[in-house]
Amino acid sequence: MKANELPITNFLQAPNVQFVIPVYQRNYDWTNNECKELINDVIAVEKYNRGTHFIGSIVFIHEGTYSTSEVKELVIIDGQQRLTTINIIYVALFRFAKDNGMQNEADMLLNMFLTNQYVQHESSKLKLKQTDTNSLAFKAIMNGTENEFNHYSNVIENFKYFQSIITKESFHTILNGLKRLIFVEISLERGKDDPQRIFESLNSTGLDLSQSDLIRNYILMDLDPKNQNKVFEQIWNPIEENARDLLKQKSVVSDYIRDYLTLRNKKIPNKNKVYVEFKKLYTEKDETYTQELENIKSLSIHYKKFINPSSIQDNNIRRELEYISRLEINVAFPFLLQVFEDAENGLISNDELIKILKLIQTYTWRRFVVGLPTNALNKIFMTLYSEVDTEEYYDSIALALIKKRGSAKFPTDEDLKTALKDKDLYNIQSKNRNYMFELLENYNNREYVNTSNENITIEHIFPQTPNEDWNKALTPDDYFQFKEKYVNTIANLTLSGNNGALSNKSFKDKKTMNRQGAEQGYNYSRLWLNDYLKTIDSWDIANYNERFDLIYSRFLKIWEYPDIVIPVSENTDEQNLYNAESPTHKKLEYFIFENTKVDEEVIAQMYFYVIEKLYEKNAQLLLEAKDIFKITRNASDFRAPQELQSGYFIESNIDSNSKFSTLKKLLPLFELEDELLIKYADSDSGNVPNRFGVRKEYWKQLLPLIVDTELFSNVNPTKDHWLSSGAGISGLAYTFVITGKYVRIELSIGSSSKELNKKYFKNLLSNKESIENTFGSQLEWEELANYKMSRIKYELTDVNLFDKADWEKMNEFLVTYLPKFEKALQPAIKNLR
């Protein structure tokens, strides 16, 4: 066996060589998804001058029984997917050159990479020798007859994808990028090496690189040694230290990056695709990329709190995070990352933060008791931060949750009462059971009771195996109900330090037991859960119901349903496509498809998006669904053709109901019926527009009025009460703020580093006199020493966003003072560099 590292072009352009894909190899099954990743790497390695890009290994047998007198046949054992795909790229480049009068390039590509120019036998002409339909499809793209090919083929689909990528601008970038691809060539000799053993060892031994390993390598690999050490020490090492479960001594960096990407993109990456999703975002390693790494490091400080609550100094926050950790509500971490960042920036107080942590517990715990599915939670928390209104922080989160319907529902008090009465809360996971009893017992207790003490155990009041006394003490009906229905329910359970002693004895014995003065009975207990039992003389269904009411009342105080009124104009929620009302005359606020949230108003755009994603998922399945809808590469087949990224066309001139109908038929083919959720935009007809709508309307009318500065020229209206435009340095932004009490212009100093923010602020403050003289008025300088961010602001009070009569006054203030604010601050900002 021989192994060498060399450029792929050297391998492919070797004269009189044929790469044979043997019949026992699996079919060529790369789709547009894998091709997109490869071509992006090819373009990036050339565009950003990254030296080389490693694509893995290709294993082959040389001098085998397949050799002929004309060509040397290399039988490919491993790497055929990459090798075939690269050949398809070369065919696409060849066809582009041929069709665009680039004869020299076309001849070079044909004779160096695709064919053996001087061989006589036709079967030896092509350098890539495939089997069955792949062979026919490859010949079709070589000859330009792919449109006459009657069978579905990944070869043809991928060729057409590459055709759509290659332009006059990208042609040489791709051609030169291919020269930078390197691989490990592993050549085996028949009779000496065991190909199967080597193939198995290459594909199944050793530990796979984790997603975090791949990300670390991507961040550090192309840096010079000095910068490698700097970035490792200042960025990566702190991330690894923060994202480490100290109890289990286990790195959770991959989980952290996944949660970070979920927050950033409103899309949950597949666990084994975290690296791919990360790399997609940062093809260009510029200042924005550097700032992003700083942000990832900064937020990892919060992640450390989530996975290691014991590291938190504030007792109240620590306790609530410990509960969240014990309940394993990890799906809330992406949402909580930004909430904790907002707390660090002073947008919410610690008291509000604790209320939010309790709300998350209440929502998930009520859902557990009622029996709602946990798999709905990831999508809920994926998009929850987009519902936050920083003016009404807690209320907006509570409102977003109580508006949920279906599998995402926030169970009401009545839902909880019905489930609680009958639910087996004894045979549940111990972490859930311990959490419930700890909170029940310690609610409003002045003296904390450690319910996890090994001497305190769960006691069945009516025993699981009752003695004969119970049969005598109860009516047959009460005995039957306890035995068959209520034995493991919350009202029949209590805590005791004497479980072994009480055992299956009668209620009277359990209540009064005092053997050898040890005070085993309920009468001697200091626990709240036993207070009621001291007041009764028998345990029957009537007393069971009375105790249930007491516990239920306590439940409602601990896991309290939010006291929030749902405004009429906001009484809409995410709906599964199959349950949604007719889309006629409606707009979307957003939709969620396969764990990705897309902010989109137009139903047609959602339709095109989903069709595109279905094509990427399984092109063959979509193209063969001819009885459902029409998709072809011929635009003239349609009245109003809509071209997809894949190069196919579909009809766009159909109403929204027809689009819904088509999607409802297509989704079951892909087993995705539950993966498309839509949120209609709130209708203003007959209702007062909600605060989000008012803000967006205000920004829409304001932005065209800003003419004396380029600031905000590329900014779109949003539903938020603030709008920002970059100030030329990462972390600094000119910001408008509008509320029901004031309007202001501010310079927000909010990079990921508190130290840097304070340094910037103090530097600007040293120029205070000059800045205010240029501006013409005094500004408010807020260092906010206890928080991460700082700001400089100019404010107009006594105006109300929600009173349109004030809009003209607000507009005049912002439009007049923004250019002056920029002119006064920009010279000092430039000096910060």
Side-chain angles (χ1 to χ4, degrees), residues 644-655:
L644 305 178
Q645 291 179 9
S646 54
Y648 279 93
F649 292 89
I650 60 175
E651 180 60 64
S652 65
N653 188 20
I654 55 175
D655 61 42

Side-chain angles (χ1 to χ4, degrees), residues 732-750:
L732 270 65
Y734 292 102
T735 303
F736 289 152
V737 182
I738 50 173
T739 74
K741 297 178 181 178
Y742 62 82
V743 58
R744 75 168 175 240
I745 303 169
E746 70 177 46
L747 179 72
S748 309
I749 307 172

Side-chain angles (χ1 to χ4, degrees), residues 267 274 276 281 302 321 327 466 488 494 503 603:
K267 174 183 178 181
V274 174
V276 172
L281 292 174
H302 305 315
L321 274 180
L327 289 174
N488 289 319
T494 190
S503 186
I603 287 170

Side-chain angles (χ1 to χ4, degrees), residues 362 365-366 413 416 420 436-449 451 490 495 526-532 546-561:
T362 297
W365 182 247
R366 281 180 174 238
D413 292 351
L416 187 64
L420 200 57
M436 175 180 68
F437 279 112
E438 181 175 337
L439 270 69
L440 270 176
E441 180 57 42
N442 285 296
Y443 174 71
N444 275 354
N445 270 11
R446 292 180 182 176
E447 214 173 310
Y448 176 80
V449 178
T451 56
I490 187 62
L495 293 175
R526 290 180 294 127
L527 300 178
W528 175 87
L529 280 162
N530 293 323
D531 282 352
Y532 172 74
E546 193 168 337
R547 185 170 187 260
F548 172 81
D549 289 340
L550 290 170
I551 292 175
Y552 170 65
S553 175
R554 199 166 173 95
F555 247 80
L556 298 188
K557 292 170 184 172
I558 299 167
W559 296 285
E560 186 179 10
Y561 192 81

